[in-house]
Every structure is written in structure tokens, then in C-alpha cells.
């Protein structure tokens, strides 16, 4: 079987990020973007009730995004309905393309991805309002494998590394994750 480029697949999925794995999903801005170095490195000490509600909703969307992406990836289902509940474009399209690409190459994700997200900024004055999230993803038990024989796709790797994501509040009131990136060059 032809060795497939797992790097594109892995960064796109967090691109799960956030999915996990290797370096680039192409030349898109989410992959090229660095961590939130210019923003607060730790959560704000005090926040208003509206900011607290935004943080909670964004973290719920982020958790749902990781769960939906893992499920869709394990089933090789780019149309999995849970993806629409937690993701928006451009990340939604990138995740679907990555899952479809993996499926076409006979690959899927298995195992466990451990997440420990933190809100690093809330901007309710932005249009749309946004919440920036940093995460230390532990992908040591999360692998890209060939669906046929469950052998690990060459070139894939696990590890613990920084991931970033942005949640935005849409006009219908939902908070959705619309961008994300894995920063495997930044262990955590």
C-alpha cells in the first residue's frame, strides 16, 4: 500500500488539532499561525459574568469538537452530523477534507486523545465575539492506522504539544470552533 502523507491529515484535524500528529495541512493561515504569544499566557484573574458564560460555552464547543472529530475520524465519516454542532468554516471544511482524505487512503484514527484546554482571551466586543483557547494535547495514545489491518501509518507520531483554537459566537447564539492549529514544535 502506498505510504500516505499523514502530516496533512493530522494537522488538519485540529487544524483535530488540533488533531494530532505532524506538521502541515497546506499553506492555510491556521497552520501557519503561531501560538497566542501576544495574548495573555494565563487566564484572566477576573472576568464578568458575560465573559465567564462565553468561556464556558467556548470550552463546551471545543470539547464537543474534539469528541465529534474523534468519532468521525474513527468511523471515516466526513459527514458525521456532530461536526456541524461544534465546528464552523473554515475549520469544518478542513476537518471534513482531512477525514475524507484519510478514508480515501484507507486510514482512520484510533486510541485516546487527552486534552487540557485553557481560555487565554475573551473578546466580546469583536464582530463576531471570540474566545481564544490553548490546549496541551496528549496524542501519545492516538494513532493514524490503516483501517484494513490496524497497522500504524508510517510517519505518524504522538506526543504532547500545544494546540490553539478560536471559538466564535454566531448570530444564532451558538459558539462554534472556526479555526485551530497544532503546534508540534512546542511541547507542553
Amino acid at each position: 500500500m502506498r505510504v500516505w502523507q499523514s502530516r496533512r491529515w493530522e494537522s488538519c484535524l485540529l487544524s483535530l488539532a488540533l488533531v494530532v500528529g505532524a506538521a502541515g495541512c497546506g499553506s492555510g493561515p491556521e497552520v501557519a499561525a503561531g501560538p497566542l504569544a501576544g495574548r495573555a499566557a494565563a487566564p484572566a484573574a477576573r472576568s464578568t459574568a458575560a465573559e465567564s458564560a462565553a468561556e464556558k460555552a467556548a470550552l463546551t464547543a471545543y470539547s464537543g469538537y474534539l469528541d465529534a472529530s474523534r468519532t468521525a475520524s474513527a468511523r471515516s465519516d466526513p459527514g458525521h452530523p456532530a461536526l456541524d454542532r461544534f465546528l464552523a468554516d473554515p475549520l469544518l471544511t478542513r476537518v471534513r477534507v482531512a477525514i475524507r482524505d484519510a478514508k480515501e487512503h484507507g486510514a482512520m484514527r484510533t486510541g485516546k486523545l487527552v486534552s487540557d484546554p485553557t481560555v487565554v482571551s475573551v473578546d466580546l466586543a469583536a464582530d463576531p465575539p471570540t474566545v481564544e483557547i490553548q490546549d496541551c494535547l496528549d496524542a501519545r495514545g492516538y494513532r493514524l492506522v490503516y483501517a484494513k489491518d490496524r497497522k500504524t501509518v508510517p510517519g505518524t507520531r504522538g506526543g504532547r504539544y500545544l494546540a490553539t483554537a478560536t471559538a466564535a459566537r454566531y448570530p444564532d447564539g451558538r459558539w462554534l470552533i472556526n479555526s485551530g492549529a497544532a503546534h508540534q514544535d512546542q511541547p507542553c
Side-chain angles (χ1 to χ4, degrees), residues 16 60-74 80 82-83 86 113 115 142:
L16 182 88
T60 297
Y62 180 77
S63 176
Y65 150 55
L66 292 179
D67 289 343
S69 295
R70 283 188 296 246
T71 300
S73 297
H80 194 281
L83 294 173
F86 302 104
L113 179 65
S115 171
Y142 197 54

Side-chain angles (χ1 to χ4, degrees), residues 4-11 16-24 109-110 112-113 137-145 152-162 182-187:
W4 172 63
Q5 293 181 340
S6 63
R7 291 187 173 140
R8 178 176 179 195
W9 157 259
E10 292 168 350
S11 77
L16 182 88
L18 279 159
V19 136
V20 176
R109 282 269 173 204
T110 63
K112 184 176 181 180
L113 179 65
L137 287 177
D138 184 346
R140 293 177 289 191
Y142 197 54
R143 298 282 182 242
L144 184 65
V145 300
T152 302
V153 173
T156 61
R157 59 185 171 144
R160 289 174 45 93
Y161 53 87
L162 177 70
H183 306 281
Q184 290 190 290
D185 60 331
Q186 298 181 37

Side-chain angles (χ1 to χ4, degrees), residues 16 24 38 49 70 84 89 118 154 158:
L16 182 88
R70 283 188 296 246
D84 286 332
D89 280 326
T118 302

